[in-house]
Every structure is written in structure tokens, then in C-alpha cells.
Amino acid sequence: MAEEFFIQGNEACAKGAIAAGCRFFAGYPITPSTEVAETLARELPKVGGSFVQMEDEIASAGAIIGGSWGGTKSMTATSGPGISLMQENIGYAFMTETPIVVVDVQRGSPSTAQPTMASQSDMMQARWGSHGDYEPIALSPSSVQEFFDFTIKAFNLSEEYRCPVFVMADEVIGHMREKIVVDEDIEIVARKRPEKSDDYLPFENIENGTTPMPAFGDGFNIHVTGLTHDERGYPDTNTPETHHNLVKRICDKVLNNKDKICSVRSESCEDADIIIVSYGAPVRSAVEAVNRARANNQKVGYVKLDTPWPFPDEQLKEITKNASDVLVVEMNLGQMYHEVDRVLKDTNVHLMGVIGGLLPTPDEILDEINKIGGN
């Protein structure tokens, strides 16, 4: 039987984490994500889990990497300044193929900026924040229900592809309250554990790219390092082929499964002259703007990016193929806009970039639509 709750977005995230099997959280309090930590500090011990408040975000990211290698589904939650501090350890998690979930409830930036106001300032941090070649997975909820659902999905994806996964929320979604429905049957992806054998290779270059992962203490002879390593996990930093094979496999296991990972939703796009592309909280205003425009006989549709990373190139091209103009609405001065513009080379791509901490309103979006349409 499904249960219903009227809760805050950050609380829904914590509830989703527990439902997904998370049993370890390490973090450092930072607005506007703090309620995720507060809720898990209270609820994790009730289900046999552990919560630890670390001295900073650097240590928090390191702790959940250790928790994951200890065999436990692990996560942290932070905001802009914190995710900046985590980036080196996040890169280590990509290189060691460690499944972790990083929740980022975004706020005004740069630096300390607006701790209690909304923004989508970290979208490129999720993609390019750590150095080197890697392919992240990121989800962007636009409702409290999705914050719950996408947190579960993030854990499932991290286990399936053995990599870090980001949940890129924002202050509006983190702090608003809505009804959510929790189904009795929730799909949970369990970690693939290897069978004990003398020839087990923890980083084997197999066809689907994701090798089964043991936990420390399971009896496997494994070595884990952020250095370029061979299939056994031992450093091999001077062989170009070793580095190419390792990093290419880490990237390809995500890129080769883009069709499975990427989620894009759209409405009223088949005959639309103008299509709004958005993600996170601004989607709510975009939907209302489209409804009003349609009521005024304007051919407008919208696209909702559930998974900004990996970027859904082909899906976006197909949905917008009949439109003459695309309007990207986001709470920054243009981050995902550049990705949309890169993909839609033959379409006029416009940016409505809103900063200052407030959600763009339907009226403001309609004004932009009318400017584009010449009304």
C-alpha cells in the first residue's frame, strides 16, 4: 500500500536515501542542504545506519568513499562552497570507480554569496569540477516527489555503473513542502559482488565496463589507488595503453548507456515554434508559462531535463526539430545554455538567465516568449 507524506524537499531526499538502502552519511552542515543531514542524523540509527558530522567537506567526501568500499551505500549532501571542496575526492571516486551519491542543494554564488537563496550555480561543477576525463551522471529534481524519487534513482545508477552520481537540486526544491507518495514496491539496485576466485580482477576491462565490487574484509586481494592502475588495481603510471584503457572504459560505461540513463520529458513540442528548455525548480514556472501561452494560441512547448549529465543530445535534437527558437531558462547566467546551443546548431537558442535568488516567474518567461515571437 502506498503511503503519503507532506514534507520538505530535503526531508524527502533523506527519506529516499534510506529507502534506497543508504546506511552511511558523512557531511558538514551547509545551507540550504542542512535538513538532509539533520533528518538522516535522526533517522539513520533507527535502521541500523550511521551518521557522522565531519570537520569539513573534504573529509566528508573521503569518508563516504571509505564507507562505500566498506560495503555500505553512502552519501553526502552539500551546497556550492562545499562541493568545490569535495572535487578532488570526487575525482578519486571516479578513478577508483566508487559508487557514492552527492546531493547538491544549490544556492547563490560565487563564494559565500546567498546561503539562503536559490540558484543553479553548480551545474558545470558537476560536469567539470574535478580534473581529467570522466563522465558524470547527474539528476535534477523539480518537485519534492522527484527529490525523493531521484535520490533513489541516484543510488541505483551509482551501483549499476559503479560511479559517483549527483543529485543537483536547488534551494526552492530543498525547502518547499509538497505531498509525496511512497509506493510499497520500490526498485532497488543491489551492488554486484564478485565470486571469490584466484583470478578476480577488480578493474577488469570487460565489455560492459562495470566490474563487480567487493568490500574491504570480504577476503579479496585488491589494491585501490587514484593513480593510473592496471586491472589488478596496482599503479602503472608510465604505460600509455594502461591509462587509455582505464579512462576510456570509465567514460564509455556511461556514454555507451546514455539511452538508458538519460531522461527527458516534454509537452506540446510537436507543433511548437518556441520551446522552453529547463530543469529543476524553473520547470514549474515554464510549465505554467506554456499553459498560458497555449491558451493565448501561441505555439509554445517545453522540455524538462531530468538528467542534465550525461547531456541528452539526441533526445533534445529530436524533440526540438520542428521549432525555430529555443529558450533556455535557468537560475544562472548561462551554464546548460551552452550545452543546448552546442547541440542545436541550426536553431536560434536564447538564454533567460536569472540570478539574485528568486525563481523566474511565468510572467517573466512569457515576456521572453513574446520578445522572441515578436508580439
Side-chain angles (χ1 to χ4, degrees):
M1 181 182 297
E3 293 184 273
E4 296 182 356
F5 301 90
F6 184 75
I7 57 176
Q8 186 190 67
N10 286 340
E11 295 170 337
C13 171
K15 183 177 285 290
I18 291 174
C22 176
R23 293 299 179 265
F24 180 62
F25 178 99
Y28 186 82
I30 181 170
T31 307
S33 73
T34 307
E35 294 87 359
V36 179
E38 290 175 342
T39 303
L40 288 170
R42 182 177 65 248
E43 299 299 327
L44 269 177
K46 297 178 183 179
V47 293
S50 300
F51 172 96
V52 58
Q53 180 175 314
M54 304 299 293
E55 64 267 31
D56 56 35
E57 288 88 352
I58 301 172
S60 301
I64 64 170
I65 291 170
S68 185
W69 276 101
T72 302
K73 291 185 179 182
S74 304
M75 72 171 286
T76 191
T78 189
S79 191
I83 203 167
S84 295
L85 290 172
M86 292 180 181
Q87 288 298 341
E88 184 177 0
N89 272 333
I90 289 173
Y92 178 85
F94 275 107
M95 193 61 156
T96 57
E97 300 176 72
T98 305
I100 56 173
V101 171
V102 178
V103 175
D104 182 0
V105 187
Q106 298 166 88
R107 70 196 222 183
S109 65
S111 188
T112 313
Q114 296 177 294
T116 61
M117 302 294 279
S119 181
Q120 293 174 309
S121 54
D122 309 337
M123 301 307 296
M124 288 298 164
Q125 281 282 85
R127 178 63 186 93
W128 300 110
S130 197
H131 52 285
D133 297 299
Y134 57 94
E135 293 292 334
I137 299 173
L139 312 175
S140 184
S142 60
S143 68
V144 175
Q145 179 73 59
E146 286 187 346
F147 208 175
F148 173 84
D149 294 337
F150 286 9
T151 301
I152 295 172
K153 186 175 181 180
F155 275 98
N156 287 346
L157 289 167
S158 73
E159 297 296 338
E160 184 173 358
Y161 297 103
R162 198 177 146 183
C163 66
V165 176
F166 297 93
V167 182
M168 305 299 290
D170 52 69
E171 185 276 335
V172 172
I173 301 303
H175 282 158
M176 73 186 307
R177 293 181 181 273
E178 290 181 320
K179 184 184 80 170
I180 70 168
V181 178
V182 178
D183 292 328
E184 185 177 7
D185 296 322
I186 297 175
E187 181 184 359
I188 303 298
V189 175
R191 183 168 303 180
K192 297 175 184 176
R193 296 290 182 90
E195 297 180 1
K196 289 186 178 180
S197 65
D198 294 335
D199 59 353
Y200 168 67
L201 297 172
F203 302 97
E204 186 176 3
N205 194 2
I206 58 178
E207 184 177 354
N208 66 9
T210 304
T211 52
M213 178 180 172
F216 287 160
D218 281 352
F220 289 86
N221 182 19
I222 60 175
H223 188 270
V224 180
T225 177
L227 291 166
T228 295
H229 47 271
D230 61 21
E231 292 180 315
R232 302 172 302 157
Y234 288 96
D236 182 9
T237 61
N238 295 321
T239 306
E241 184 181 4
T242 299
H243 184 81
H244 176 272
N245 289 342
L246 171 63
V247 176
K248 195 71 165 60
R249 179 177 60 78
I250 289 172
C251 293
D252 284 349
K253 68 180 177 180
V254 173
L255 293 177
N256 291 343
N257 289 286
K258 281 182 67 173
D259 290 345
K260 290 175 58 179
I261 296 170
C262 290
S263 174
V264 173
R265 306 183 197 185
S266 63
E267 189 170 310
S268 303
C269 292
E270 294 81 3
D271 66 340
D273 298 320
I274 301 172
I275 293 177
I276 302 169
V277 175
S278 198
Y279 57 95
V283 169
R284 306 169 74 91
S285 294
V287 171
E288 177 63 19
V290 168
N291 290 339
R292 293 186 192 178
R294 284 282 170 175
N296 195 38
N297 296 320
Q298 294 173 284
K299 293 182 178 180
V300 182
Y302 75 84
V303 175
K304 175 181 184 295
L305 304 178
D306 289 343
T307 49
W309 305 117
F311 193 76
D313 303 50
E314 297 306 317
Q315 293 94 322
L316 189 61
K317 287 179 186 177
E318 178 63 25
I319 294 170
T320 62
K321 64 183 180 182
N322 297 323
S324 58
D325 295 87
V326 167
L327 174 64
V328 181
V329 180
E330 52 185 340
M331 290 189 289
N332 53 56
L333 292 181
Q335 293 195 18
M336 301 309 295
Y337 159 78
H338 296 291
E339 287 296 296
V340 177
D341 190 48
R342 174 185 63 83
V343 170
L344 304 181
K345 296 181 177 65
D346 299 324
T347 306
N348 298 315
V349 180
H350 312 265
L351 169 66
M352 180 180 174
V354 177
I355 60 172
L358 298 179
L359 187 68
T361 67
D363 286 339
E364 291 169 338
I365 296 174
L366 281 170
D367 287 343
E368 293 296 319
I369 291 171
N370 290 332
K371 289 177 186 177
I372 295 170
N375 296 332

